[in-house]
Amino acid sequence: MAKETRRRVYEFMRNQIRAGSVPSVREVQRAMGFSAVQSAQEHLDALVADGFLEKIPRISRGYRLPERSVSAFMIPLLGRVQAGGLVDAIEDREGYVAVDIDPSRRPLFALRVRGESMKDAAILPDDIVIVRQQPSAQHGDIVVAMIDDQATVKRLRIVPGPAGSSRAELHPENPEFSPIIPEGDLHILGKVVEVRRQFETSVFHEDSIP
Amino acid sequence: MAKETRRRVYEFMRNQIRAGSVPSVREVQRAMGFSAVQSAQEHLDALVADGFLEKIPRISRGYRLPERSVSAFMIPLLGRVQAGGLVDAIEDREGYVAVDIDPSRRPLFALRVRGESMKDAAILPDDIVIVRQQPSAQHGDIVVAMIDDQATVKRLRIVPGPAGSSRAELHPENPEFSPIIPEGDLHILGKVVEVRRQFETSVFHEDSIP
DNA sequence: TTGACTACCAGACATTTGTCTGGTATCTTC
DNA sequence: GAAGATACCAGACAAATGTCTGGTAGTCAA
């Protein structure tokens, strides 16, 4: 029937693309048993017109699934963040974590939480925080900052200082810990945008990369 | 340096492929600024030889990431899970969530937490739980179960019953709530494998001076 | 009928693309 | 210095590929 072939074309494309390889027009032709390229082309055009597929003109294998637009990204899970901040720490990655925020707009990284200082904010040891890299933050944000050559997760508070000035403090969310009042500059690595707790390990550990 | 270019080629390929489009050799050439196709080709060949890439000969854009590489998956974030369980609820999706667990092995779904009954387990209202679909679970697991036509997140406890039998109970982690002792069958939707909390990320985010 | 529309076919053309041969410059290693 | 290895360049060719023009057969509705 009419509609039947189109459905077969769509399912062929969807399965192939999900499996990781985009068919060319002639591969669709062969898969469907058409003896003309144009037959496959027209079905593909129709699927694009109906929004079932997207295509990049003129490039080979340029068809995409629209739901790819909600795509996922992998960001590095850093092991330790030490002196020198991220520049050095980037090389010390523990694995990768999947996020659905586009990291190309603003760099993201992930960090494993140590210690119980944020317990009352429901952030526990071994949780993973997703951090958006930025040099400053607002009052009330949960941030990652460098304290004594170690990355620490705390809540940022901006308190009024003498003579109308203001000062940044790092507050834990656990009465057993004390606030940190930095003496000099406060080196903020970024703002925590998400917290994750995994009950099963699923982080990818890489061996080596060229 | 020598290795530096190869790394750039690899990362270009990896990012492009993960983003859903496999570059052609000449696209690599242009991206790297080579004036000869062969330069890109040789780097790709070397990456294939070292196992960092795989390729299908003679077909355009035939490079793949090896199986062991990380990939991210998108799973549905269900709005409400009601009577009938997941089968009906699948159509009531609120969005998608990125995970790095392969959902083809065992179905996964995500659910937004309501209520404070798991507060002491550091699971707060509006948190998102990633659930692996399974009809049963073990003592101590945090599960999603159907209670009164509503999906609820609780800790599962198997307690000894009369005459050597055992009974399942659903325990909140908040003293203000009472355990649920199901009368009939306990309908478990799945086991919570991850908890996520997203802090609101304003589009108009201004950095203030810390 | 006519006209439109759809599905498919036949053949062709210009790019794109994978692949190949050979060359240059710069290293290291013996 | 010679030999080998590496990284890159120059140019080319055949196959793969996107795209186009025009044609046939069937359906459906006015």
Side-chain angles (χ1 to χ4, degrees), chain B residues 143-166:
Chain B
V143 300
V144 175
M146 291 299 296
I147 296 293
D148 294 335
D149 285 359
Q150 281 285 348
T152 205
V153 179
K154 294 286 181 298
R155 192 178 295 276
L156 181 70
R157 289 196 193 168
I158 314 278
V159 296
S165 67
S166 64

Short mmCIF file of all heavy atoms in Angstrom, two decimals, chain B residues 143-166:
data_model
loop_
_atom_site.label_atom_id
_atom_site.label_comp_id
_atom_site.label_asym_id
_atom_site.label_seq_id
_atom_site.Cartn_x
_atom_site.Cartn_y
_atom_site.Cartn_z
N VAL B 143 12.65 1.94 46.15
CA VAL B 143 11.86 1.49 45.02
C VAL B 143 10.76 2.49 44.69
O VAL B 143 10.42 3.37 45.49
CB VAL B 143 11.21 0.11 45.29
CG1 VAL B 143 12.26 -0.94 45.57
CG2 VAL B 143 10.22 0.21 46.44
N VAL B 144 10.22 2.33 43.49
CA VAL B 144 9.00 3.04 43.10
C VAL B 144 7.89 2.01 43.04
O VAL B 144 8.01 1.00 42.36
CB VAL B 144 9.16 3.73 41.74
CG1 VAL B 144 7.85 4.35 41.30
CG2 VAL B 144 10.26 4.78 41.80
N ALA B 145 6.83 2.26 43.80
CA ALA B 145 5.73 1.30 43.85
C ALA B 145 4.41 2.01 43.63
O ALA B 145 4.29 3.23 43.84
CB ALA B 145 5.72 0.58 45.20
N MET B 146 3.43 1.25 43.18
CA MET B 146 2.10 1.80 42.98
C MET B 146 1.29 1.64 44.27
O MET B 146 1.04 0.53 44.73
CB MET B 146 1.38 1.06 41.85
CG MET B 146 1.95 1.29 40.46
SD MET B 146 1.91 3.01 39.93
CE MET B 146 0.12 3.29 39.89
N ILE B 147 0.89 2.79 44.83
CA ILE B 147 0.03 2.77 46.00
C ILE B 147 -1.16 3.68 45.73
O ILE B 147 -0.97 4.87 45.46
CB ILE B 147 0.79 3.26 47.26
CG1 ILE B 147 1.93 2.30 47.61
CG2 ILE B 147 -0.17 3.41 48.44
CD1 ILE B 147 1.47 0.93 48.05
N ASP B 148 -2.34 3.10 45.76
CA ASP B 148 -3.56 3.88 45.50
C ASP B 148 -3.49 4.59 44.16
O ASP B 148 -3.74 5.80 44.06
CB ASP B 148 -3.80 4.91 46.63
CG ASP B 148 -4.11 4.23 47.95
OD1 ASP B 148 -4.59 3.07 47.90
OD2 ASP B 148 -3.85 4.83 49.00
N ASP B 149 -3.09 3.86 43.14
CA ASP B 149 -3.03 4.43 41.80
C ASP B 149 -2.06 5.59 41.68
O ASP B 149 -2.18 6.42 40.77
CB ASP B 149 -4.43 4.87 41.33
CG ASP B 149 -5.27 3.67 40.95
OD1 ASP B 149 -4.75 2.55 41.04
OD2 ASP B 149 -6.44 3.87 40.58
N GLN B 150 -1.11 5.65 42.57
CA GLN B 150 -0.09 6.69 42.49
C GLN B 150 1.28 6.05 42.64
O GLN B 150 1.44 5.11 43.41
CB GLN B 150 -0.29 7.74 43.60
CG GLN B 150 -1.38 8.76 43.32
CD GLN B 150 -0.95 9.79 42.30
OE1 GLN B 150 0.23 9.90 41.95
NE2 GLN B 150 -1.92 10.55 41.79
N ALA B 151 2.24 6.59 41.93
CA ALA B 151 3.60 6.10 42.09
C ALA B 151 4.23 6.75 43.31
O ALA B 151 4.13 7.96 43.50
CB ALA B 151 4.42 6.43 40.85
N THR B 152 4.86 5.95 44.13
CA THR B 152 5.46 6.48 45.33
C THR B 152 6.86 5.94 45.50
O THR B 152 7.15 4.80 45.13
CB THR B 152 4.58 6.12 46.56
OG1 THR B 152 4.81 7.06 47.59
CG2 THR B 152 4.88 4.74 47.07
N VAL B 153 7.75 6.78 46.03
CA VAL B 153 9.14 6.38 46.24
C VAL B 153 9.34 6.08 47.72
O VAL B 153 9.11 6.94 48.57
CB VAL B 153 10.11 7.49 45.80
CG1 VAL B 153 11.55 7.08 46.05
CG2 VAL B 153 9.91 7.83 44.34
N LYS B 154 9.74 4.86 48.01
CA LYS B 154 9.94 4.47 49.42
C LYS B 154 11.08 3.44 49.50
O LYS B 154 11.50 2.89 48.50
CB LYS B 154 8.66 3.83 49.97
CG LYS B 154 7.47 4.78 50.08
CD LYS B 154 7.62 5.76 51.23
CE LYS B 154 6.39 6.66 51.32
NZ LYS B 154 6.21 7.49 50.10
N ARG B 155 11.51 3.21 50.75
CA ARG B 155 12.49 2.15 50.94
C ARG B 155 11.77 0.84 51.22
O ARG B 155 10.83 0.80 52.01
CB ARG B 155 13.45 2.49 52.08
CG ARG B 155 14.66 1.54 52.10
CD ARG B 155 15.65 1.89 53.18
NE ARG B 155 16.29 3.18 53.00
CZ ARG B 155 17.36 3.39 52.22
NH1 ARG B 155 17.89 2.38 51.56
NH2 ARG B 155 17.89 4.59 52.14
N LEU B 156 12.23 -0.20 50.55
CA LEU B 156 11.58 -1.50 50.68
C LEU B 156 12.18 -2.29 51.85
O LEU B 156 13.40 -2.38 51.97
CB LEU B 156 11.75 -2.32 49.39
CG LEU B 156 11.10 -3.71 49.37
CD1 LEU B 156 9.59 -3.60 49.35
CD2 LEU B 156 11.60 -4.50 48.18
N ARG B 157 11.30 -2.82 52.68
CA ARG B 157 11.79 -3.70 53.75
C ARG B 157 11.03 -5.01 53.70
O ARG B 157 9.80 -5.02 53.57
CB ARG B 157 11.59 -3.05 55.13
CG ARG B 157 12.52 -1.89 55.38
CD ARG B 157 12.57 -1.56 56.85
NE ARG B 157 13.23 -0.27 57.05
CZ ARG B 157 13.21 0.38 58.21
NH1 ARG B 157 12.56 -0.11 59.24
NH2 ARG B 157 13.83 1.54 58.32
N ILE B 158 11.77 -6.06 53.77
CA ILE B 158 11.15 -7.38 53.82
C ILE B 158 11.18 -7.82 55.28
O ILE B 158 12.27 -8.00 55.84
CB ILE B 158 11.91 -8.39 52.96
CG1 ILE B 158 12.23 -7.80 51.58
CG2 ILE B 158 11.14 -9.69 52.84
CD1 ILE B 158 11.14 -7.87 50.59
N VAL B 159 10.01 -7.95 55.89
CA VAL B 159 9.97 -8.32 57.31
C VAL B 159 9.39 -9.71 57.46
O VAL B 159 8.53 -10.13 56.68
CB VAL B 159 9.12 -7.30 58.12
CG1 VAL B 159 9.76 -5.93 58.06
CG2 VAL B 159 7.70 -7.24 57.59
N PRO B 160 9.88 -10.44 58.43
CA PRO B 160 9.35 -11.81 58.64
C PRO B 160 7.89 -11.77 59.07
O PRO B 160 7.49 -10.96 59.92
CB PRO B 160 10.24 -12.36 59.76
CG PRO B 160 10.94 -11.20 60.36
CD PRO B 160 10.93 -10.08 59.39
N GLY B 161 7.12 -12.60 58.45
CA GLY B 161 5.70 -12.69 58.80
C GLY B 161 5.43 -13.94 59.61
O GLY B 161 6.37 -14.61 60.04
N PRO B 162 4.18 -14.25 59.81
CA PRO B 162 3.84 -15.44 60.58
C PRO B 162 4.21 -16.72 59.83
O PRO B 162 4.16 -16.75 58.60
CB PRO B 162 2.32 -15.33 60.77
CG PRO B 162 1.88 -14.44 59.65
CD PRO B 162 3.00 -13.50 59.38
N ALA B 163 4.65 -17.69 60.56
CA ALA B 163 4.92 -19.04 60.02
C ALA B 163 5.98 -19.03 58.92
O ALA B 163 5.82 -19.62 57.87
CB ALA B 163 3.63 -19.70 59.49
N GLY B 164 7.05 -18.28 59.19
CA GLY B 164 8.17 -18.33 58.27
C GLY B 164 7.95 -17.57 56.97
O GLY B 164 8.83 -17.54 56.12
N SER B 165 6.79 -16.98 56.80
CA SER B 165 6.56 -16.21 55.58
C SER B 165 7.24 -14.84 55.71
O SER B 165 7.83 -14.52 56.73
CB SER B 165 5.06 -16.04 55.37
OG SER B 165 4.53 -15.22 56.39
N SER B 166 7.15 -14.07 54.67
CA SER B 166 7.72 -12.72 54.74
C SER B 166 6.77 -11.75 54.06
O SER B 166 5.97 -12.12 53.20
CB SER B 166 9.09 -12.69 54.06
OG SER B 166 8.95 -12.98 52.69
#
